[in-house]
Amino acid sequence: MADVALSGSALNQPRLARRMGGDAGIAWLLALPAILAYLAMILLPLLAVLALAFTDYEFGARSFHWIGLANFADMLSDRTFAASIRNTVIYCLFVAPLSIGIALGLAVLIEAGSRGKALYRAVFFLPVVSLTVAMATAWQYLLHPSIGPVNALLRMVGAGTPNWLGSSDWVIVSLGFIGVWENVGFNLVLFLAGLTAIPRELYAASEIDGARSGWSKFWLVTWPMLGPTMLFVIIITMTRSIRVFDTVQTLTQGGPNNASEVLLRTIYQEGFHYFKFGYSAAITLVFLVIVLGLMLIQTRLIDRRVHYG
Amino acid sequence: MQTRPLINDLPRLALLSLAALVVLAPYIWMVAVSVKPQDEVFKASLSLIPQKWALIENYGKVLKTIPIWTYIVNGLIVCFGILFFQVLFAVPAAYALAKLNFRGRELVFGFVMLGLLIPYQTTALPLYLGIHQLGLLNSYTALIAPFTCSVFAIFLFRQFFRAIPDDLINAARIDGMGEFSIVWRVIVPNAVPAATAFAIFSVVAHWNDLFWPLIVIQKGDLYTPAMGILAFRSVEAGEDYGALMAAALLVTAPLVLAFLFAQRRFIEGITMTGLKG
Amino acid sequence: MSGIVIEGVQKSFGMTSVLRGVSLTVAHDEFLSLVGPSGCGKTTLLRIIAGLEAVSAGTVQIAGREVTALRAADRDVAMVFQNYALYPHLTVRQNIGVPLVMRRLSAVERIPVVGRLLPGVATKRCQISADVVTAAEMLGIGALLERKPAQLSGGQRQRVALGRAIVRHPHAFLMDEPLSNLDAALRVTTRAEIVALHRRVGASTVYVTHDQSEAMTMSDRVAVMMDGQILQVGTPEAIYTNPQDLRVASFIGSPSINTFAAEIGPDGEVMIGSVSSGLGSTGTGPAILAIRPENIAPAETGIAARVDHLEYLGESLLVHARLLEGDELVICRLPPEARQQLRRGEMIRLRPDPAKALLFDGAGRRRPAQVRIRDVVHG
C-alpha cells in the first residue's frame, strides 16, 4: 500500500558486490525498453498536453496559434465546464464519505465475529471486478422509472417514484449511489487489512483499563489505530471518484441538460467529439492539477502521521 | 478468538446479509431479467422467476445480433497483450533499479514516481494524435501500445526485487550467469507472487476500461466487451432489457467467475496495487 | 481483604482442555509467580483472573468479591502485557491516564473538547493529571510524559506499562512475562525494581513467567504449572529443596536435577543398580532417586561412572559423567579446585548425599525416605 510505497524510496539502497565498470551499460540496456515506452507513451504526451493547452489547435486543422491562457479564460465563462466541475465535486463529496463510512461499518461488523468473513468480503468486493458498463446497464434497469424494481418497491410502500436517471434533480444522486456501490468493496478490504493489523493485546489492555462497551473500545483503540488506513482510503476514493466516466457515458451521456456532466466526460466530449484539442487539453490540465493536489495532501499527511507503532 | 453462540451473532449476520443483498441486487436482477420475455419485463412486477422462460430467445438474440464472442476474444487479446508487454518491459527495468548501481538511477526512479502520479486519461489527446498520424486507429496496436509502459509495474516489481537477497544474485554471477539470464532465470521465478498480483490488477483494469477503446476504436469487429455492450444498447436493442441483460451477463461472467475461483488472490492483487486504483 | 482466590477453574478451547481444575490462593500483599513451560496454561490462567477469558468451570474471587462473571473492566485489576500494549497514538501522559479517564469520567465527559466544558470535568482532569505525574515520578519517567511510545526505548515502554498499572491502585496486579522483551542486563535490574514497586504499592501480584530464575528471585511463593495443572505452590526454597513431584524437581534448577532408576529392596533399602544409595524407604518396588548436581560428588565408593566432559564456570565446576551401567548422564557441581584432580575419560565413583536425595515413585510422586547410615558405611 502507499505506506510501503513511500517508505522504500530513498532508504538503504542495497550495496552490491559490483564488478568493475560493467554495471552501468547493462543497467541502461535492461531499462531501455521501458524507458523508450515511457518516453513515447507518458513523458512526451504529457509535455504535448502541457503545450496543447496553450494553443487553439483543433484536430484536423493545418495550423494552430499560441493563445496563452485564453483556453483557461474560456473555461470561466463555459457553462458546460462549470456544470462539469460542480457535478464532479458533488459526486466526489457524495461518494467518498458514504462509501468510506459504509465500508468502515461493514468492516467492523465483519471483523466482530468469526462467521462468514470470506463470504461477505467476496460479495462486497464483487462490484470491483465487474464490468462497469454492464453493471451500469443492470442499474439502469433497476432504476427504470416505470418498469424498474426500485420504483415498483417504492410504489408498493406508497412512496414517490422519481425518474432516477432522467431528472436533473436525481441524476447525480443516482450516479453517486452506483459509485458508492462500486467503491464500498474496495474500501472495505483496505479497512479489513487495517483492522487485522491492530494488535489484539490493545483491545485486552483497553478492557483492563475500563473500556466496557464496544463503543468506547472503538474510540480508544480502533479509530486512532485506523488513522493511516483512513487517510489512504480517503485519498484513494477521491482519486477514484474524480475519474468517474464509464457510468455517466453509459447511462446519461452527461444529461439531462448537463446535470450529470463530469470532468472526464467533458475532456472526452471537447476533444473527441468537437475535436477542440487545445481546449480539451486545458481542461485535462485542470483535472491533472486536482489529482496531483490530492496526492500531495496524502504524502504530506502520511509523512506527518506515519510514526505510529 | 472464541466463536460466540449463533444466537448472539444473529443481529450482526442479519445486518451484513441485508447489505449484501443490496450489493447483489443488480446481479440478481441481471440474471432474472436475462431469462424473462419482454412482456413480463414490462409488467414491472417484483417476481424474479419468469412465468414463461425466454432464455433461448434472449441469449439467442444477443448471439445473433452482435459477435459477442469476438468482443470477448478482443478483450482477452487486448488484456493479455497489454500484460505481456508490461511485464516484458517492467521486469528488467525494475531489476536494474532494484539491484544494479548506475549513474542516473535516482533520476530514472524519479521519473517512475512522477509517472505514478499521472492518470492515463491525461495523455489521451496526444496519444490519439500520434496513433492517427501513424494510421493505426482501429487496430489492436492502438488498444495495446499506450499501456505497454506501466510505471506501476516497474515500481511494484522494484519493491519486490529489493527483498531478494543480493547473495542470491552474486551466487548466480559466480555460477557464470550474465545479467540477462539472472533476470529471466533467477529474478522472474522469484517474482511470481508480485507478478500474479499485478496481472490480476492489470487485467481487471483493462477488461473494464471504456475511455480509451471509445477513443481509438470505431469499427465493430475490434470492439472490446465494454464497447460491445454500449453498442448493443444504443443501436440494436433499445429497450429490450432481456437481451441487454443477457449480453451484460455474458461479458461480466469471465472476470466474475475467475474472481470467485481465486478471490483471495484477486483481493490481494487489486488492493495491494490499490495505489493506482 | 483476601487477595485472589481461585477455585476449581477449568478451561477448554473446543476439544482441548487447557486448564484442568486449578485452585490457588494469593494473599493480599503477596507476590506469586506462575511458572511453567510454554503451553502449560499459565497465561490462560492469568487472562482468566483478568477477565479477558471466561472460565468453563470454577470460580474467581478478588478481594473477597466473586468476579467470575464480571468483565475485565469491572474487576479492579491491572495488567502488564508481554508487549506492553501501549496505545501508539497517545503520549506517555495519556497512556498512563487512560484507566483513570475511563473510570472517573462518563462517556459524555470523555468527548474531546466539548466534554471539557461540562461542569466538574476540569477538576477531574486536573486530579487525573496529578495522579499520572505521581505514578510517573515513582517510576522515574516523569521527564518522558509528552513522548509517544514509538520514541521510547524498550525499558522505558515497560515502565510506562507499569505506570498504567499502578496509577489507579488496583486490588491485583497481573503481569504476563513483562521482562521477556528486554535485553538480559536490563532484565536483571528490572527484576529488583518490580519487587521494590510491589512492596511500595502492596497488592496481590500474579507474575507469569517461563523463566525460573525470575520466579525464584522475585516471588514470595512460586506456583509451578504443567499440563493445565498446578503441581506445587510454595516458597522458592520449598520448591527447590522439597519438590513434591518429579516434574517440578526437573523443571526447577539449572542444570537439571539428576535422576536414577532405583529399586526398593525387601528391607526397605533404596538401591541404584547394585549400589546402595544410603536411603531407606517403606514399601518395595521400582522408584526414582533424584539428586541436585551440588549434592552428588566423587567418593571412595558409589556409582561407577566415566568423566565425559568438564565445564569450568569460575565459581564452580560442572562434571558431566556417564554411568557405566546404563550409560545415563549425571552432572555434579564441584568446587572449582576439583578441576586439577579430574581428567576426561577418568573412572570415578559418585555418591549422592543421602540427606539431600529425593525419592519419587514410578508415577513421579514424592515418597517418604530417611537416611540409613549403615548403608553408607557398607558401600
Side-chain angles (χ1 to χ4, degrees), chain A residues 228-256:
Chain A
T229 311
M230 178 59 77
L231 188 70
F232 179 67
V233 170
I234 291 175
I235 299 295
I236 279 277
T237 314
M238 293 295 275
T239 46
R240 278 166 72 91
S241 45
I242 203 175
R243 281 183 270 172
V244 58
F245 176 78
D246 294 8
T247 47
V248 176
Q249 184 66 21
T250 310
L251 296 178
T252 66
Q253 316 245 309

Side-chain angles (χ1 to χ4, degrees), chain A residues 202 206-207 209 212 220 224-225, chain C residues 71-74 87-89 103:
Chain A
L202 278 186
S206 75
E207 182 132 334
D209 287 343
R212 286 178 180 76
L220 183 59
M225 292 303 286
Chain C
R71 334 221 345 219
D74 302 321
Y87 306 105
H89 56 285
R103 285 193 161 72

Side-chain angles (χ1 to χ4, degrees), chain A residues 67-78:
Chain A
I67 55 169
L69 294 173
N71 282 330
F72 297 92
D74 286 350
M75 277 180 215
L76 297 177
S77 55
D78 179 349

Side-chain angles (χ1 to χ4, degrees), chain B residues 83 86-88 90-95 98-99 153-165 168-169 181-200 265 268-269 272-273:
Chain B
L83 182 62
Q86 282 176 334
V87 172
L88 185 74
V91 164
Y95 170 72
K99 290 292 180 193
I154 297 175
F155 178 80
L156 187 74
F157 287 133
R158 171 187 177 271
Q159 299 302 93
F160 196 82
F161 293 167
R162 279 161 60 95
I164 294 177
L168 186 67
I169 293 160
S181 354
I182 289 176
V183 170
W184 296 113
R185 291 214 221 150
V186 179
I187 298 292
V188 171
N190 278 299
V192 170
T196 316
F198 175 75
I200 287 169
R265 284 200 174 283
E268 274 167 13
M272 148 180 181
T273 50

Side-chain angles (χ1 to χ4, degrees), chain C residues 121-260:
Chain C
V121 173
T123 331
K124 284 188 196 168
R125 290 243 177 217
C126 222
Q127 184 56 45
I128 289 172
S129 181
D131 290 354
V132 167
V133 171
T134 312
E137 296 295 345
M138 198 191 280
L139 291 160
I141 48 172
L144 306 173
L145 284 176
E146 304 314 322
R147 301 233 192 128
K148 295 221 171 147
Q151 299 161 287
L152 302 177
S153 70
Q156 290 167 334
R157 281 183 214 179
Q158 208 261 345
R159 273 153 208 270
V160 177
L162 281 173
R164 187 171 64 177
I166 63 169
V167 73
R168 53 169 233 262
H169 307 292
H171 276 117
F173 284 115
L174 309 174
M175 305 199 186
D176 187 5
E177 310 217 3
L179 303 184
S180 61
N181 282 337
L182 299 181
D183 61 53
L186 201 54
R187 213 178 300 161
V188 174
T189 56
T190 315
R191 275 183 203 169
E193 287 176 31
I194 291 183
V195 172
L197 195 66
H198 166 73
R199 281 200 207 102
R200 273 177 83 176
V201 294
S204 312
T205 300
V206 180
Y207 185 100
V208 163
T209 180
H210 66 268
D211 180 345
Q212 46 162 305
S213 61
E214 270 176 28
M216 300 296 271
T217 52
M218 296 170 76
S219 326
D220 297 323
R221 285 194 304 154
V222 176
V224 181
M225 277 190 84
M226 239 167 260
D227 303 325
Q229 281 171 315
I230 292 183
L231 299 180
Q232 188 173 352
V233 188
T235 61
E237 298 84 349
I239 295 281
Y240 188 76
T241 60
N242 195 17
Q244 295 304 307
D245 189 300
L246 184 57
R247 288 174 289 171
V248 174
S250 313
F251 183 74
I252 301 289
S254 170
S256 276
I257 200 163
N258 299 300
T259 56
F260 300 95

Side-chain angles (χ1 to χ4, degrees), chain C residues 281-354:
Chain C
S281 181
T282 53
T284 52
I288 294 163
L289 184 132
I291 187 90
R292 299 241 174 245
E294 61 271 31
N295 298 329
I296 181 166
E300 296 295 309
T301 58
I303 312 152
R306 186 187 300 277
V307 176
D308 201 36
H309 174 56
L310 295 172
E311 255 182 310
Y312 178 70
L313 296 176
E315 89 289 353
S316 64
L317 176 76
L318 294 183
V319 180
H320 299 238
R322 271 190 198 284
L323 300 190
L324 293 188
E325 271 177 73
D327 202 40
E328 272 172 280
L329 189 69
V330 179
I331 298 176
C332 336
R333 190 190 290 275
L334 301 178
E337 304 80 46
R339 197 181 187 186
Q340 269 79 49
Q341 288 126 46
L342 290 168
R343 277 178 296 109
R344 212 161 68 80
E346 189 180 343
M347 285 282 298
I348 50 171
R349 285 185 175 276
L350 294 169
R351 202 187 65 184
D353 175 354

